[in-house]
Amino acid sequence: MKHLGGLAVLWLWMTEALENCPNACKCSQKKNVNRTEVNCSKQRLQQFPLQFPLDSWILKMGGNIIEELPADIIRSLPKLESVNLERNSIRSIHPQAFSGASRLMLLNLNGNQITNIPSKGLKDLLNLRFLMLGQNQIATVKSDMFIGLRNLSDLDLPLNSLTTLPPNAFKPLIALKVLDLALNHIQKISPKAFSGLEELLFLNLDNNKLKNIQAGTFKTVNNLEMLVLDNNLLSTLSSSMLEGLSNLQEFYVRKNWIKSLPADVFRHTPKLTQVALSGNQLQTIDGNMLANIQGLKHVYLHDNPWRCDCNINSLLQYIDQKQVNRAFLGKLRCISPEEHRGKPMHSLKSEDLHCDA
């Protein structure tokens, strides 16, 4: 009889779960665990459903036409860990939209029309690990947007409308490890923009409009291991710009407008293993500067207008002695002087290199 009673309870629970499944959605229950995955993707839903199974664990609601997230949309779902709302038409988020969602670990809002996150609007998401806000219209970031996200490890903000990063913009994100700000319009970064991000390992600023980065900007992210500055408008690098990056291992500055590098530019980055400077305006570089970075394994310098005169002698020696990624270094071509135009740099000898008196 006890066995039959247990089956009856299970049947009632499953019936209740199915009854609460929104009409346009499919609900599937995970075997042996009281958890339901709700799939409402691409159903042309205009509003967030009012009712879900109480044991909902994952909500998939991408590809609909929802424009607004009202208050308390998931408060009644204590087991909810993942919400996917990508590729909707969301413009408005109520400040209490995510109230009570303390177990939520992933929130995907990519590809909407969001212009701002309400102040303290995410404060209840104490266990959120992944927040995806890419391909929206967010023009400003402020610390009050991120209050409560003390366990967030990954913040994705590419393809938005950011132009500046103000002081303390991300300060509440004390556990953040990945910050993606690519494909914005960032022109200015406050020296204190990254304050509080002591755990940050990866920072992507690819495809912005940075012409200059102030000294000490990265000083507070001293655990950073990878920095991407590709496709910006930088014309110079300096050691003060890289101050604090004592754990940096990979540095990408491809397709900028850098014409020269000071001899001490990597003074603060002793752990570099990979440097990518291809697609700039470099005519010469001090090979000794690279040789002094003991663990450097990969250097990418192709697609620069190299002037093959006596000033690149140390670079030739570095290429010959270090044996690092020779396939890419073998692609270096001389642009000038005329007598060496088009020649592979590694084919030249020291006696071939002349400088005007």
Side-chain angles (χ1 to χ4, degrees):
M1 293 294 292
K2 288 183 178 179
H3 181 66
L4 290 174
L7 287 174
V9 171
L10 180 62
W11 180 82
L12 286 171
W13 171 79
M14 291 178 67
T15 302
E16 181 183 353
L18 291 173
E19 285 178 351
N20 288 336
C21 187
N23 290 334
C25 309
K26 293 181 180 179
C27 297
S28 55
Q29 293 162 342
K30 189 176 178 66
K31 290 182 179 180
N32 304 320
V33 182
N34 295 345
R35 290 179 172 183
T36 297
E37 179 179 307
V38 183
N39 191 340
C40 309
S41 300
K42 298 180 181 179
Q43 296 299 312
R44 309 242 356 126
L45 293 175
Q46 297 182 19
Q47 295 181 330
F48 200 91
L50 297 177
Q51 210 171 28
F52 293 97
L54 290 177
D55 66 339
S56 294
W57 171 45
I58 295 173
L59 297 186
K60 295 181 178 180
M61 305 192 65
N64 286 291
I65 48 176
I66 298 169
E67 295 186 5
E68 180 182 359
L69 297 181
D72 302 321
I73 54 175
I74 52 178
R75 177 183 284 277
S76 62
L77 305 176
K79 296 183 179 181
L80 194 62
E81 293 186 8
S82 175
V83 175
N84 186 339
L85 283 159
E86 64 182 345
R87 300 189 312 279
N88 274 271
S89 302
I90 299 168
R91 300 172 183 269
S92 173
I93 301 175
H94 192 281
Q96 278 82 49
F98 301 109
S99 290
S102 59
R103 290 190 62 173
L104 199 66
M105 298 183 69
L106 182 148
L107 177 58
N108 186 348
L109 291 165
N110 280 341
N112 282 282
Q113 299 173 33
I114 300 166
T115 56
N116 72 290
I117 302 296
S119 175
K120 299 182 182 180
L122 306 175
K123 64 180 177 64
D124 286 359
L125 306 185
L126 303 179
N127 284 297
L128 198 70
R129 301 295 195 274
F130 304 95
L131 176 58
M132 303 165 188
L133 293 167
Q135 206 170 346
N136 279 284
Q137 299 168 21
I138 299 170
T140 58
V141 284
K142 299 178 181 178
S143 60
D144 62 4
M145 292 167 52
F146 305 117
I147 287 175
L149 302 183
R150 62 191 184 202
N151 285 303
L152 194 73
S153 63
D154 192 321
L155 174 59
D156 294 338
L157 272 165
L159 284 161
N160 275 279
S161 302
L162 300 174
T163 57
T164 61
L165 297 180
N168 305 312
F170 308 100
K171 196 166 186 179
L173 305 178
I174 56 174
L176 198 68
K177 289 180 169 54
V178 175
L179 177 56
D180 188 350
L181 296 165
L183 294 155
N184 277 275
H185 309 284
I186 300 169
Q187 301 175 36
K188 184 179 180 182
I189 302 176
S190 163
K192 295 183 179 180
F194 302 120
S195 292
L197 303 185
E198 296 179 4
E199 300 297 318
L200 197 67
L201 300 176
F202 173 76
L203 175 59
N204 189 359
L205 287 160
D206 180 23
N207 267 289
N208 278 284
K209 297 183 178 180
L210 292 168
K211 292 183 178 179
N212 183 49
I213 296 176
Q214 295 186 51
T217 295
F218 303 117
K219 198 171 183 179
T220 57
V221 287
N222 52 18
N223 282 307
L224 200 69
E225 294 180 358
M226 184 185 298
L227 175 59
V228 181
L229 293 170
D230 294 341
N231 299 292
N232 277 280
L233 304 171
L234 298 170
S235 58
T236 185
L237 291 177
S238 66
S239 61
S240 60
M241 185 188 298
L242 304 179
E243 186 179 357
L245 297 177
S246 57
N247 287 294
L248 193 67
Q249 297 174 28
E250 299 182 33
F251 185 37
Y252 300 90
V253 210
R254 296 166 292 197
K255 295 184 179 179
N256 278 270
W257 294 93
I258 299 167
K259 295 181 179 179
S260 62
L261 293 174
D264 68 342
V265 65
F266 298 124
R267 179 163 61 97
H268 298 296
T269 55
K271 294 185 180 179
L272 278 176
T273 61
Q274 186 158 298
V275 175
L277 286 157
S278 52
N280 279 281
Q281 296 297 310
L282 292 168
Q283 293 188 337
T284 186
I285 194 172
D286 184 359
N288 295 321
M289 172 185 66
L290 300 174
N292 289 334
I293 307 174
Q294 298 297 317
L296 193 59
K297 296 177 181 178
H298 302 283
V299 183
Y300 301 96
L301 297 169
H302 51 283
D303 297 330
N304 278 286
W306 297 107
R307 180 171 180 80
C308 295
D309 59 17
C310 66
N311 291 310
I312 66 158
N313 195 32
S314 62
L315 179 58
L316 285 184
Q317 292 177 5
Y318 175 76
I319 294 172
D320 184 58
Q321 294 171 8
K322 278 295 185 178
Q323 303 287 317
V324 293
N325 60 307
R326 292 183 64 84
F328 283 96
L329 292 176
K331 293 182 179 181
L332 305 188
R333 294 289 187 272
C334 303
I335 299 300
S336 63
E338 190 61 36
E339 62 183 296
H340 296 316
R341 176 180 287 273
K343 291 182 181 178
M345 186 187 292
H346 70 273
S347 69
L348 301 176
K349 305 295 182 186
S350 294
E351 53 269 25
D352 300 324
L353 306 176
H354 305 289
C355 281
D356 295 334

